[in-house]
Amino acid sequence: MGLSIFVFFRSSRIYVVDTAKIPRAPSLHKVVQPTDILQKTGLAYPHTSHCLGSGDIMVSCLGDKEGNATGNGFLLLDSDFNVKGRWEKPGHSPLFGYDFWYQPRHNTMISSSWGAPAAFSKGFNLQHVSDGLYGRHLYVYSWPDGELKQTLDLGNAGLLPLETRFLHDPSKDTGFVGSALSSNMVRFFKTTDGAWSHEVAISVTPLKVRNWILPEMPGLISDFLISLDDRYLYFVNWFHGDVRQYNIEDPSKPVLTGQVWVGGLLQKGSDVVSVSEEGAESQFSVPVIKGNRLRGGPQMIQLSLDGKRLYVTNSLFSVWDQQFYGPDFVKKGSHMLQIDVNTEQGGLTINPNFFVDFGTEPEGPALAHEMRYPGGDCTSDIWI
């Protein structure tokens, strides 16, 4: 029996689904109730899950039951999905939680920091960043014993660090994290003295705009991934609307090799316009796919195992979806696109024949978020 974990952090439930019968009839295997998690760990708002070599499952949690970030940490489930407890040592919890990735050969796990659920669950407020309700740190733990060894302060270049990925090659001591609000890809790496450091590897320039809440619009890097051969890095700008491909054969010097626009706040027909230094207004051309104008912006991505098909959904978080893209987006639901990848020279092309409309689902309209392959994929597989 193949099992997948579906995590819903708004309800703090963890759903375990039998995927052996996918695609036709997946069935519910077990529900890990929030009361059980709270009683044994004090944790709530589960987010990212990874399987461990021990057979346990580890899940990052974003806060306590009231949505305070002070209650976050890492939940451990056994192979039968019973709550075992917390992974990190007492007193070694991060200030904020979100994503994590471990690299066993370097005895290291690194986690990122979104913010307090009590803040982001009500929509984004820039003042909350100044108030300290959002993160800007990476947390470096010893693996597998859960001791917090370092806290890397990314500063203003790393506001709201979200997805965290090591290179897939388990011998490599480098990886990346996407900082959403700063719109930078930050590379982290081990130094000669065995400590960990970081640097900005890619910057997305904010655009001067009119008819928006701020005079400048960040790209808002909400997701990224690394191809299984560690050759290419892909990321999305949820506000600007573009998907990018970079060659990272030299991880310290990424090279842009592909870029396409699949939505965003600046697409033609939008009220928001980009303004040049000379005052000229412009917007990006976004194609119509199978008669559908693309809604929202690119948000989560997943790559086929051969690296040739990049799939894109467009819902970040329903409250944020409505705040930035309006109630019509939520009412119509989201969609999934396919981008064809040139894996030899690099390059991205939108597939004009692929469009999955979640607005027409029987229980819809639905807001599609993360994608997973039942047998493992670029954002779930970790090698020992």
Side-chain angles (χ1 to χ4, degrees):
M1 179 171 62
L3 296 175
S4 290
I5 298 177
F6 293 80
V7 177
F8 294 82
F9 64 72
R10 291 196 76 179
S11 65
S12 292
R13 288 180 175 85
I14 297 176
Y15 293 85
V16 183
V17 177
D18 178 2
T19 61
K21 300 176 183 178
I22 277 182
R24 295 188 178 179
S27 58
L28 183 63
H29 177 71
K30 184 174 182 177
V31 179
V32 183
Q33 296 292 347
T35 51
D36 193 23
I37 298 172
L38 278 168
Q39 287 173 0
K40 295 181 179 178
T41 67
L43 298 171
Y45 295 87
H47 188 266
T48 297
S49 61
H50 280 299
C51 295
L52 311 187
S54 63
D56 292 336
I57 300 102
M58 184 163 144
V59 184
S60 61
C61 294
L62 308 189
D64 61 18
K65 64 179 180 179
E66 284 82 26
N68 301 309
T70 52
N72 63 56
F74 302 93
L75 166 69
L76 275 182
L77 305 173
D78 65 21
S79 57
D80 292 318
F81 304 98
N82 299 306
V83 176
K84 291 184 67 174
R86 296 174 76 133
W87 170 76
E88 77 277 14
K89 290 185 175 180
H92 288 251
S93 299
L95 181 60
F96 294 101
Y98 189 70
D99 196 22
F100 70 97
W101 195 283
Y102 63 90
Q103 199 67 301
R105 294 193 192 179
H106 296 280
N107 305 114
T108 297
M109 185 276 275
I110 294 181
S111 69
S112 61
S113 47
W114 183 8
F120 65 68
S121 62
K122 296 179 176 63
F124 181 71
N125 184 337
L126 190 60
Q127 181 60 42
H128 288 163
V129 179
S130 302
D131 292 343
L133 297 178
Y134 284 95
R136 65 178 197 183
H137 297 88
L138 294 180
Y139 302 97
V140 182
Y141 284 87
S142 58
W143 185 265
D145 58 304
E147 181 181 353
L148 181 60
K149 306 293 287 187
Q150 272 185 270
T151 298
L152 303 180
D153 188 345
L154 307 182
N156 289 335
L159 296 174
L160 278 68
L162 299 181
E163 311 303 330
T164 306
R165 320 274 189 233
F166 272 96
L167 295 179
H168 294 289
D169 183 342
S171 68
K172 301 296 184 182
D173 57 359
T174 190
F176 295 86
V177 62
S179 60
L181 189 58
S182 301
S183 297
N184 290 323
M185 290 301 309
V186 177
R187 184 175 76 96
F188 51 83
F189 53 92
K190 188 184 285 188
T191 59
T192 54
D193 62 358
W196 292 82
S197 188
H198 63 92
E199 65 180 8
V200 174
I202 304 168
S203 292
V204 176
T205 303
L207 299 176
K208 293 185 177 181
V209 294
R210 287 184 186 146
N211 307 324
W212 200 54
I213 56 175
L214 296 172
E216 288 192 342
M217 179 188 291
L220 203 89
I221 299 174
S222 57
D223 192 23
F224 85 97
L225 58 77
I226 298 171
S227 61
L228 287 176
D229 60 5
D230 289 335
R231 188 179 180 198
Y232 291 110
L233 180 148
Y234 301 84
F235 70 78
V236 300
N237 288 303
W238 193 56
F239 283 165
H240 288 182
D242 59 316
V243 181
R244 300 191 185 192
Q245 176 198 49
Y246 284 81
N247 184 300
I248 56 166
E249 290 175 292
D250 181 348
S252 66
K253 297 178 181 178
V255 177
L256 180 65
T257 50
Q259 185 176 24
V260 291
W261 273 264
V262 296
L265 292 165
L266 291 165
Q267 63 176 296
K268 288 185 177 179
S270 169
D271 293 333
V272 186
V273 295
S274 175
V275 184
S276 69
E277 293 291 341
E278 295 75 26
E281 296 183 351
S282 64
Q283 294 178 315
F284 297 114
S285 295
V286 174
V288 172
I289 306 296
K290 299 187 75 173
N292 297 279
R293 183 173 185 264
L294 301 186
R295 306 184 288 270
Q299 208 290 119
M300 298 300 290
I301 51 178
Q302 188 55 259
L303 189 66
S304 62
L305 302 185
D306 61 6
K308 295 182 178 180
R309 299 175 307 283
L310 185 69
Y311 296 97
V312 185
T313 55
N314 57 342
S315 172
L316 192 155
F317 186 45
S318 59
V319 177
W320 291 36
D321 293 345
Q322 180 160 309
Q323 178 181 357
F324 291 105
Y325 283 100
D328 279 351
F329 172 64
V330 177
K331 290 177 183 177
K332 292 179 180 178
S334 62
H335 54 244
M336 180 166 63
L337 308 173
Q338 178 182 314
I339 297 174
D340 296 327
V341 179
N342 185 327
T343 58
E344 298 300 323
Q345 290 79 35
L348 302 174
T349 306
I350 301 171
N351 188 320
N353 300 312
F354 186 99
F355 185 87
V356 179
D357 190 351
F358 290 93
T360 62
E361 287 295 301
E363 301 295 329
L367 296 173
H369 187 71
E370 197 151 17
M371 296 155 284
R372 285 283 185 263
Y373 287 104
D377 53 49
C378 295
T379 54
S380 62
D381 278 354
I382 296 174
W383 284 274
I384 296 176

